[in-house]
Amino acid sequence: MSTEASGSGGASTATPPMIKAASVDKYFGDLHVLKNIDIEVPRGQVVVVLGPSGSGKSTLCRAINRLEPVDSGTIEVDGEPLPAEGKALAALRADVGMVFQQFNLFAHKSIVENVTLGPVKVRKVSQSEARTTAMELLERVGIADQADKYPAQLSGGQQQRAAIARALAMKPKVMLFDEPTSALDPEMVQEVLDTMTSLADEGMTMVVVTHEMGFARRAAHRVLFMADGEVVEDSTPGDFFSDPKTDRAKDFLGKILTH
Ligand SMILES: Nc1ncnc2c1ncn2[C@@H]1O[C@H](COP(=O)(O)OP(=O)(O)O)[C@@H](O)[C@H]1O
Ligand SMILES: [Mg+2]
């Protein structure tokens, strides 16, 4: 299909995947938690990662952000191998936004300060420009009226939307979400999923670990099912939910869809 263009039109030939993991292995002591992971995520793709507890989903996310170094193999973001340390690592962390189950906002800073801090420190944006962007982002996630409050004054859903705004303020290339709604009261889950869905619709490259199957069906382009540190299935949501291939996936879906 692809004709190796010679000379002309060079600019369009090599768009690297936004995330590429090749032969990645990770151990915690004797525990082999990521086993020969090979994944490519094209830009704009929304990947939902499913799997039982302990299967390595969080470790995979953390490895993409280099919160966890891997023992072998390579991970690249936008064609660049992950830097090990220093300024390059700080820049990587800005390019790869991460939202956790626990919101991890700075308790002693207001919501808008939480959102301006990174751009000012890491991206060297001026305070006034950072504030303008922060207010736009808070507007976008629906909590502009909470800008001057402290995290503890907000509901869990509002705090998680603030955490998303904070990550977006760095103008990331990729957003990783690790069970972003698992710590929320049920009535607040949807507002966070709606924020994530609109981000997906805007073309953000996203890796989302979640147990929200409705989100996976509606927003994901692709489902990765992990078990015991391996990617066991890699398919579309339609195929995964209607026709899982492995017993592990069938068992997982049986448990998660019947309660
Ligand atoms: N910092 C750590 N030290 C030792 N073992 C860990 C650490 N983090 C995770 N693990 C283990 O690695 C495995 C994968 O964990 P994790 O990636 O958190 O799985 P998941 O997110 O799918 O529940 C589990 O067996 C877990 O207990
Ligand atoms: Mg986890």
Side-chain angles (χ1 to χ4, degrees), residues 46-64:
V46 178
V47 180
V48 164
V49 182
L50 302 175
S53 179
S55 55
K57 306 179 300 295
S58 293
T59 306
L60 177 64
C61 280
R62 293 167 59 80
I64 294 169

Side-chain angles (χ1 to χ4, degrees), residues 222-252:
R222 179 178 176 191
V223 169
L224 299 181
F225 175 73
M226 292 186 72
D228 285 334
E230 288 179 283
V231 175
V232 176
E233 300 206 22
D234 181 349
S235 58
T236 62
D239 287 347
F240 182 76
F241 289 111
S242 65
D243 186 21
K245 298 281 179 273
T246 59
D247 288 343
R248 305 282 321 241
K250 286 175 194 165
D251 181 53
F252 174 80

Side-chain angles (χ1 to χ4, degrees), residues 99-105 151 154-164 177-196 210-212:
V99 175
F100 302 87
Q101 180 174 336
Q102 296 303 337
F103 326 123
N104 292 332
L105 295 168
L154 271 59
S155 72
Q158 290 172 327
Q159 287 186 62
Q160 193 61 301
R161 287 184 281 153
I164 293 170
F177 294 86
D178 190 0
E179 300 201 23
T181 60
S182 297
L184 297 176
D185 291 333
E187 73 272 23
M188 290 164 190
V189 168
Q190 197 56 46
E191 65 195 45
V192 172
L193 293 179
D194 287 346
T195 301
M196 293 165 60
T210 185
H211 297 297
E212 294 294 333

